[in-house]
Amino acid sequence: WLKRLVSGRRGHRGAPARNSVRPLHLRREMKAPDHALPMEQFILGSWPVGLAWLAFAVVTAGTARNAYRHLLCYSRPDLQQHVLRIIMVGPLYAFSAALCLSMTEGGCFFVRSVRDIWEAVVIYSFLTLIIEYMGGEHLCLHSISQRDEAVPHLFPLNLCLKPIPTGSMIRLPKIGALQFVVGGHL
């Protein structure tokens, strides 16, 4: 069965074998139709820009609905403010993509910088959301500090780095996220 499949021989009762692979010299060359646009004209044309703005409109509508539903049921402000920041990243990315396709390369620098700064804010908000979901920073520190042993690194790093003390299990990820917030867009 496998030999028939690879060689392209006929299958059962003379019918062509299903999923047969034809040898290279028997394959027909795929030729672009005469009415097809060259790739440069398609990329630099109006289709990508229009599609990007359409995607921005769809993402913004979905995010606005999601944000509205979160605001209607605003029962956990300690968590939902972070969720609202996180879901706003979709329209911002779609807007920056559509705007950068509509502008020249030089004008796109400011748009990308704003997008990168918001991405850093979202990463810090996600870390804060996780900590708040677990009961807040003080409760996490209290439950972690009751463990006596330090947390070892994964395999390659445990050979050269000493284990992380449990007291800094919240502080070190926050420092890393803040470093990304400050220096991630540079």
Side-chain angles (χ1 to χ4, degrees):
W1 172 79
L2 186 60
K3 287 180 183 178
R4 274 197 326 253
L5 179 69
V6 173
S7 67
R9 284 190 274 158
R10 297 275 177 185
H12 184 62
R13 297 185 184 160
R18 289 192 309 178
N19 300 331
S20 62
V21 178
R22 301 178 101 191
L24 286 176
H25 67 281
L26 295 178
R27 292 184 190 168
R28 290 181 21 199
E29 293 294 323
M30 295 295 290
K31 185 177 177 185
D34 294 332
H35 63 277
L37 292 173
M39 187 61 78
E40 296 85 25
Q41 286 180 346
F42 175 75
I43 291 174
L44 298 176
S46 61
W47 278 97
V49 176
L51 189 62
W53 285 109
L54 177 69
F56 167 67
V58 169
V59 167
T60 303
T63 302
R65 180 182 178 274
N66 196 358
Y68 176 72
R69 291 177 60 105
H70 267 284
L71 291 174
L72 279 180
C73 303
Y74 201 67
S75 59
R76 296 281 312 264
D78 56 331
L79 299 178
Q80 285 174 307
Q81 64 183 351
H82 303 296
V83 171
L84 287 172
R85 279 187 210 129
I86 292 168
I87 64 173
M88 291 301 168
V89 79
L92 185 68
Y93 263 83
F95 179 73
S96 68
L99 198 60
C100 284
L101 281 174
S102 302
M103 299 169 60
T104 61
E105 184 67 30
C108 194
F109 175 75
F110 176 73
V111 174
R112 276 191 250 135
S113 297
V114 171
R115 183 198 64 200
D116 290 343
I117 290 170
W118 188 256
E119 179 186 6
V121 169
V122 164
I123 288 173
Y124 186 75
S125 291
F126 182 70
L127 178 67
T128 309
L129 173 68
I130 291 172
I131 292 171
E132 289 295 325
Y133 188 74
M134 292 187 305
E137 189 171 346
H138 296 295
L139 184 64
C140 287
L141 283 174
H142 178 69
S143 63
I144 289 174
S145 65
Q146 290 180 353
R147 297 180 63 184
D148 290 332
E149 72 275 358
V151 178
H153 290 278
L154 294 176
F155 167 64
L157 299 176
N158 67 350
L159 300 174
C160 58
L161 297 174
K162 56 185 177 179
I164 301 173
T166 55
S168 61
M169 288 299 291
I170 299 286
R171 187 174 49 91
L172 289 178
K174 283 184 98 170
I175 288 173
L178 284 173
Q179 284 177 347
F180 186 77
V181 167
V182 172
H185 64 281
L186 297 179

